[in-house]
Amino acid sequence: WYFEIVETMRKLILTGGLIFLGPGTRTQIAMSMIICLCALRIFSGFKPFVKESHDKFSEVSQWQVFFVMLSALMMKSSIDAGETNEDEGLYDVVLIGIQFMSP
Protein backbone atom coordinates (compact mmCIF):
# COMPACT_ATOMS: atom_id res chain seq x y z
CA TRP A 1 0.00 0.00 0.00
CA TYR A 2 2.91 2.37 0.74
CA PHE A 3 3.84 2.60 -2.93
CA GLU A 4 0.50 4.18 -3.78
CA ILE A 5 1.88 7.38 -2.26
CA VAL A 6 4.77 7.34 -4.75
CA GLU A 7 2.41 6.62 -7.64
CA THR A 8 0.03 9.39 -6.58
CA MET A 9 2.90 11.88 -6.32
CA ARG A 10 4.12 10.91 -9.79
CA LYS A 11 0.66 11.46 -11.23
CA LEU A 12 0.22 14.78 -9.43
CA ILE A 13 3.57 16.08 -10.63
CA LEU A 14 2.95 14.99 -14.23
CA THR A 15 -0.56 16.45 -14.36
CA GLY A 16 -0.49 19.45 -12.05
CA GLY A 17 3.08 20.24 -11.14
CA LEU A 18 4.28 20.95 -14.65
CA ILE A 19 1.96 23.92 -15.14
CA PHE A 20 4.47 26.10 -13.34
CA LEU A 21 7.06 25.61 -16.09
CA GLY A 22 5.26 27.48 -18.82
CA PRO A 23 2.49 25.53 -20.50
CA GLY A 24 3.28 24.24 -23.97
CA THR A 25 7.03 24.81 -23.80
CA ARG A 26 9.80 22.38 -24.60
CA THR A 27 11.04 22.77 -21.02
CA GLN A 28 7.77 21.40 -19.73
CA ILE A 29 8.00 18.38 -22.01
CA ALA A 30 11.66 17.77 -21.15
CA MET A 31 10.92 17.94 -17.44
CA SER A 32 8.09 15.45 -17.84
CA MET A 33 10.54 13.11 -19.58
CA ILE A 34 12.97 13.43 -16.67
CA ILE A 35 10.15 12.69 -14.22
CA CYS A 36 9.18 9.63 -16.27
CA LEU A 37 12.75 8.32 -16.20
CA CYS A 38 13.01 8.88 -12.44
CA ALA A 39 9.73 7.07 -11.89
CA LEU A 40 10.91 4.26 -14.14
CA ARG A 41 14.06 3.87 -12.07
CA ILE A 42 12.09 3.88 -8.81
CA PHE A 43 9.59 1.31 -10.08
CA SER A 44 12.24 -1.00 -11.50
CA GLY A 45 14.42 -0.70 -8.40
CA PHE A 46 11.78 -1.27 -5.75
CA LYS A 47 9.56 -3.71 -7.67
CA PRO A 48 6.52 -2.75 -5.61
CA PHE A 49 4.09 -5.33 -6.96
CA VAL A 50 3.58 -8.85 -5.70
CA LYS A 51 3.65 -10.48 -9.13
CA GLU A 52 6.64 -10.13 -11.43
CA SER A 53 4.31 -9.70 -14.40
CA HIS A 54 2.80 -6.61 -12.77
CA ASP A 55 6.27 -5.14 -12.28
CA LYS A 56 7.05 -5.72 -15.96
CA PHE A 57 3.74 -4.18 -17.01
CA SER A 58 4.48 -1.14 -14.86
CA GLU A 59 7.91 -0.75 -16.45
CA VAL A 60 6.50 -1.03 -19.97
CA SER A 61 3.86 1.55 -19.09
CA GLN A 62 6.51 3.97 -17.81
CA TRP A 63 8.47 3.56 -21.06
CA GLN A 64 5.26 4.15 -22.96
CA VAL A 65 4.71 7.51 -21.25
CA PHE A 66 8.36 8.44 -21.86
CA PHE A 67 8.15 7.73 -25.59
CA VAL A 68 4.90 9.69 -25.91
CA MET A 69 6.67 12.65 -24.30
CA LEU A 70 9.66 12.17 -26.59
CA SER A 71 7.35 12.25 -29.60
CA ALA A 72 5.68 15.39 -28.25
CA LEU A 73 9.10 17.03 -27.86
CA MET A 74 10.06 16.10 -31.41
CA MET A 75 6.80 17.53 -32.78
CA LYS A 76 7.15 20.71 -30.70
CA SER A 77 10.73 21.20 -31.87
CA SER A 78 9.83 20.82 -35.52
CA ILE A 79 6.92 23.25 -35.17
CA ASP A 80 9.06 25.84 -33.35
CA ALA A 81 11.79 25.54 -35.98
CA GLY A 82 9.27 26.30 -38.71
CA GLU A 83 9.97 23.06 -40.52
CA THR A 84 7.37 21.57 -42.76
CA ASN A 85 5.64 18.62 -41.21
CA GLU A 86 6.53 16.00 -43.81
CA ASP A 87 7.04 13.51 -41.02
CA GLU A 88 3.68 14.17 -39.42
CA GLY A 89 2.31 10.88 -40.73
CA LEU A 90 5.29 9.06 -39.27
CA TYR A 91 4.72 10.69 -35.88
CA ASP A 92 1.09 9.58 -36.01
CA VAL A 93 2.05 5.99 -36.76
CA VAL A 94 4.70 5.95 -34.03
CA LEU A 95 2.31 7.37 -31.43
CA ILE A 96 -0.38 4.85 -32.32
CA GLY A 97 2.19 2.03 -32.20
CA ILE A 98 3.42 3.17 -28.77
CA GLN A 99 -0.11 2.91 -27.40
CA PHE A 100 -0.16 -0.80 -28.28
CA MET A 101 3.20 -1.55 -26.61
CA SER A 102 1.61 -2.57 -23.32
CA PRO A 103 0.52 -6.19 -23.12
Side-chain angles (χ1 to χ4, degrees):
W1 65 270
Y2 67 94
F3 215 78
E4 285 299 318
I5 297 169
V6 175
E7 176 64 13
T8 302
M9 291 303 297
R10 180 188 72 85
K11 289 179 182 179
L12 281 173
I13 292 170
L14 282 175
T15 57
L18 293 174
I19 61 168
F20 300 109
L21 296 178
T25 62
R26 286 182 286 195
T27 305
Q28 187 181 36
I29 300 170
M31 186 57 77
S32 66
M33 290 171 62
I34 291 170
I35 292 167
C36 288
L37 287 176
C38 290
L40 176 67
R41 181 62 188 119
I42 290 169
F43 274 76
S44 62
F46 282 97
K47 299 194 182 298
F49 299 104
V50 176
K51 292 184 176 182
E52 180 70 23
S53 62
H54 293 171
D55 287 325
K56 292 288 184 192
F57 182 74
S58 172
E59 186 175 346
V60 169
S61 297
Q62 296 295 326
W63 279 113
Q64 185 178 16
V65 173
F66 174 78
F67 283 119
V68 168
M69 294 299 170
L70 179 63
S71 298
L73 183 63
M74 290 169 44
M75 287 190 288
K76 180 73 175 160
S77 295
S78 67
I79 290 170
D80 288 348
E83 298 173 1
T84 59
N85 254 348
E86 299 164 351
D87 295 332
E88 189 172 312
L90 179 62
Y91 288 142
D92 293 342
V93 170
V94 168
L95 283 172
I96 290 170
I98 287 171
Q99 299 308 313
F100 291 106
M101 269 181 25
S102 297

